[in-house]
Amino acid sequence: MTEKELKILGIKLKNYGTSTGSDWFTNKDTILSSSPTNGKPIARIERTSHKDYEKVIKEAENAKLIWRDIPAPKRGEVIRQLGEKLRETKPTLGKLVSYEMGKSYQEGLGEVQEMIDICDFAVGISRQLYGNTIHSERPGHRMYDQYHPLGIVGIITAFNFPVAVWAWNSALALVCGNVVVWKPSEKTPLCAIACQHILADILKSNKLPEGISSLITGDAEVGTWLSKDRRIPLISATGSTRMGRQVAITVAERFGKTLLELGGNNAIVVTPNADLKMTIIGAVFGAVGTAGQRCTSTRRLIVHESIYDKVQQSLVEAYKQIKIGDPLDTQYHMGPLIDTDAVQIYVNALTKIKEQGGKILVTGRVLDGEGYESGCYVTPVIAEVENHLDIVQEETFAPILYLIKYSGDVRNAIELQNNVRQGLSSAIMTTNLREAEIFLSQNGSDCGIANVNIGTSGAEIGGAFGGEKETGGGRESGSDAWKVYMRRQTNTINYTSSLPLAQGIKFDL
């Protein structure tokens, strides 16, 4: 990206300590932002010190007193302005997402569109923060429940969706009357800085405190500060199951609340009644989109034995057409992995597949040569395996698709699909109504997301997003996910001159 494009997003590289030479990699007080597309450093960003962290939290505490007293529809107006600004900056912000994270430019634009969509959704929610009116058993009494802001919401996000997940949380948390403190992935800090600039400018133009939205940068240590901080009632954390488990334990020790969006091990069930053309499109995009680095990426394809060979052949042919290269070049389907550490995880997974008895159908390798100088480009893999293998039970954040054969009816496939520790996204490909309904029933998929005739990857803003088991149980985005950012209060009003007790209890004086 050019400096001119970054300035559109409020980023002036000289303000972030850009440099050249070996000191890019040796300064412990900074985070290096580099692009996996070419391996080149973009900027060096200062880490948040504990002293600065305390300043941020104090400003947030002051800002929350002002923000929560602003009527919810007025808060919604601020988020509407955010959505409009995102529309203006979509091409540039989408390009930054693509360049810093490595996903295709089309996916970068799609991620910014998710931000716009959640802003639109949140504006509507700002006029619908409803409680219930409840009939009291006592005459002359009225009961109802209402929702109040929590205060400060801490947001920890992952590299694979460096801007959208922040928006999912912030748009809703803000219209609910909270202020937010964001700790982004240290692998994509510039995307976070761009978003912070956009919202900060809107707050300033509305004469609102900048502490309504704050950004802190750093590694896991900074995330631990958030998790331990009793001044932050809710921590929303997106990332690996390992990270989420630590956050959950730390926050639970102080009786805080968590919203966890963690690992996925997503499967598509393909029955004999599937539309195979749709199946191949859904499976290939699900497996190679974002280079397999989505939490909803398709990891497993569970195929009925009667069509297994046909599906396998079609997939192998489809994989021959996948083009890998610079994600900003729209001719390519797949870009790089986020860094060389991710590449090593990919390589290790291929070794484990072979060691555990799997069969590689489409061989994977690390690409080198012209255009692949970063060392982060790999080829997608298809492996024939059994569901119980240890490597299949893990989530490998890479473009590796496992083919698994099933026999009998759809219930056998569902049992295989559910037999992993994660429970995020799932799908079935079938034109048979009974199979679809069984899959969606209480005896069907155990995931938070269950789709029919679409893949596991990609979700609309209107529905609640999240999963069960080691996925963490959190729900973000649509439906009534806004309620997690608020505290519920039950109110009972007695407008009589007597004091009857509940359950008919008598207590006379």
Side-chain angles (χ1 to χ4, degrees):
M1 292 191 71
T2 65
E3 286 199 32
K4 183 178 179 181
E5 288 172 317
L6 291 173
K7 284 180 180 178
I8 293 173
L9 302 173
I11 297 174
K12 298 178 182 178
L13 289 182
K14 63 182 181 180
N15 292 345
Y16 300 100
T18 45
S19 182
T20 56
S22 62
D23 62 341
W24 279 102
F25 308 96
T26 57
N27 191 327
K28 294 181 180 180
D29 296 322
T30 60
I31 301 168
L32 174 67
S33 170
S34 59
S35 174
T37 68
N38 53 25
K40 294 180 179 180
I42 310 170
R44 195 170 60 207
I45 292 91
E46 289 186 5
R47 296 174 185 267
T48 299
S49 67
H50 197 271
K51 180 180 179 181
D52 286 339
Y53 171 81
E54 284 296 323
K55 180 181 177 183
V56 164
I57 299 301
K58 287 178 181 177
E59 289 187 1
E61 287 193 299
N62 292 332
K64 78 178 183 183
L65 303 177
I66 298 170
W67 183 243
R68 71 186 183 189
D69 280 343
I70 294 173
K74 298 295 184 182
R75 300 193 295 256
E77 167 58 20
V78 173
I79 300 304
R80 186 197 66 77
Q81 294 174 32
L82 174 60
E84 290 303 307
K85 189 63 177 179
L86 290 170
R87 285 178 169 88
E88 294 175 21
T89 57
K90 178 178 175 179
T92 310
L93 183 56
K95 187 175 182 180
L96 177 59
V97 169
S98 179
Y99 187 62
E100 190 178 31
M101 185 268 151
K103 64 176 59 177
S104 73
Y105 182 47
Q106 284 298 313
E107 291 184 82
L109 292 174
E111 183 166 349
V112 180
Q113 187 60 49
E114 283 193 58
M115 302 174 77
I116 295 167
D117 292 344
I118 193 63
C119 286
D120 289 349
F121 181 85
V123 172
I125 289 294
S126 70
R127 294 180 181 270
Q128 300 180 72
L129 302 175
Y130 301 140
N132 297 304
T133 299
I134 306 157
H135 288 281
S136 173
E137 67 184 56
R138 291 168 284 185
H141 286 60
R142 180 167 66 89
M143 291 179 65
Y144 65 95
D145 57 25
Q146 60 179 328
Y147 292 85
H148 297 299
L150 289 169
I152 303 174
V153 172
I155 303 170
I156 301 172
T157 60
F159 73 86
N160 58 332
F161 279 85
V163 295
V165 175
W166 167 75
W168 289 1
N169 283 275
S170 291
L172 291 180
L174 289 171
V175 297
C176 288
N178 303 290
V179 301
V180 296
V181 177
W182 180 19
K183 188 267 178 208
S185 168
E186 60 269 33
K187 297 180 181 182
T188 50
L190 272 187
C191 288
I193 290 169
C195 292
Q196 178 65 15
H197 272 299
I198 291 169
L199 183 50
D201 286 347
I202 291 168
L203 294 173
K204 184 177 180 180
S205 66
N206 284 272
K207 296 180 172 55
L208 291 167
E210 62 179 5
I212 289 171
S213 176
S214 303
L215 179 70
I216 54 177
T217 55
D219 54 17
E221 181 183 20
V222 178
T224 300
W225 296 345
L226 281 175
S227 298
K228 289 184 174 181
D229 199 327
R230 294 180 180 274
R231 295 166 293 185
I232 304 176
L234 171 67
I235 298 294
S236 175
T238 302
S240 68
T241 296
R242 179 182 58 81
M243 178 277 293
R245 181 175 288 110
Q246 188 57 54
V247 169
I249 292 170
T250 303
V251 176
E253 285 178 344
R254 60 177 177 87
F255 293 100
K257 298 172 64 175
T258 54
L259 192 170
L260 301 176
E261 296 288 357
L262 311 175
N265 196 344
N266 317 294
I268 299 177
V269 171
V270 186
T271 81
N273 300 296
D275 181 319
L276 293 188
K277 183 178 180 180
M278 290 173 58
T279 298
I280 298 303
I281 294 172
V284 173
F285 175 73
V288 307
T290 324
Q293 296 172 113
R294 293 184 176 211
C295 52
T296 54
S297 290
T298 305
R299 311 289 179 201
R300 298 174 295 142
L301 205 63
I302 302 171
V303 186
H304 193 269
E305 60 183 358
S306 64
I307 56 170
Y308 183 87
D309 291 342
K310 188 173 183 179
V311 170
Q312 175 185 305
Q313 181 181 356
S314 297
L315 277 172
V316 171
E317 288 300 315
Y319 269 50
K320 293 178 182 178
Q321 302 174 46
I322 295 172
K323 298 178 181 178
I324 304 166
D326 183 350
L328 290 172
D329 187 334
T330 55
Q331 70 171 305
Y332 296 113
H333 301 102
M334 193 178 104
L337 293 175
I338 185 64
D339 55 25
T340 53
D341 289 341
V343 172
Q344 190 57 54
I345 291 171
Y346 161 89
V347 171
N348 293 343
L350 299 185
T351 301
K352 291 178 182 178
I353 291 169
K354 296 173 185 177
E355 290 176 347
Q356 295 174 21
K359 179 182 178 182
I360 303 293
L361 302 176
V362 174
T363 305
R365 64 188 179 92
V366 182
L367 297 174
D368 55 18
E370 186 177 356
Y372 305 124
E373 292 86 355
S374 69
C376 297
Y377 292 88
V378 301
T379 62
V381 174
I382 300 176
E384 187 176 64
V385 298
E386 293 186 25
N387 196 67
H388 69 270
L389 299 184
D390 289 345
I391 187 62
V392 179
Q393 292 287 312
E394 299 174 10
E395 179 190 39
T396 302
F397 237 47
I400 301 174
L401 178 64
Y402 298 119
L403 275 185
I404 301 166
K405 186 185 298 184
Y406 83 94
S407 58
D409 70 11
V410 71
R411 292 176 178 83
N412 295 334
I414 293 170
E415 183 178 359
L416 286 171
Q417 186 229 272
N418 291 346
N419 193 20
V420 292
R421 295 185 298 274
Q422 309 84 358
L424 178 52
S425 186
S426 60
I428 187 171
M429 293 293 184
T430 181
T431 57
N432 182 291
L433 177 63
R434 289 179 178 174
E435 288 178 334
E437 290 296 337
I438 290 171
F439 184 77
L440 299 177
S441 73
Q442 67 269 24
N443 298 314
S445 169
D446 65 359
C447 296
I449 299 170
N451 299 326
V452 177
N453 291 328
I454 59 173
T456 62
S457 187
E460 295 182 27
I461 287 301
F465 181 90
E468 302 301 320
K469 300 188 291 188
E470 288 193 0
T471 302
R475 292 298 185 275
E476 294 174 323
S477 186
S479 187
D480 64 349
W482 61 269
K483 291 181 179 179
V484 75
Y485 304 97
M486 306 197 85
R487 59 181 177 89
R488 184 197 297 249
Q489 184 180 79
T490 301
N491 306 118
T492 306
I493 300 170
N494 176 6
Y495 56 89
T496 73
S497 57
S498 60
L499 187 62
L501 302 177
Q503 293 85 48
I505 295 173
K506 300 296 182 182
F507 188 77
D508 296 323
L509 294 176

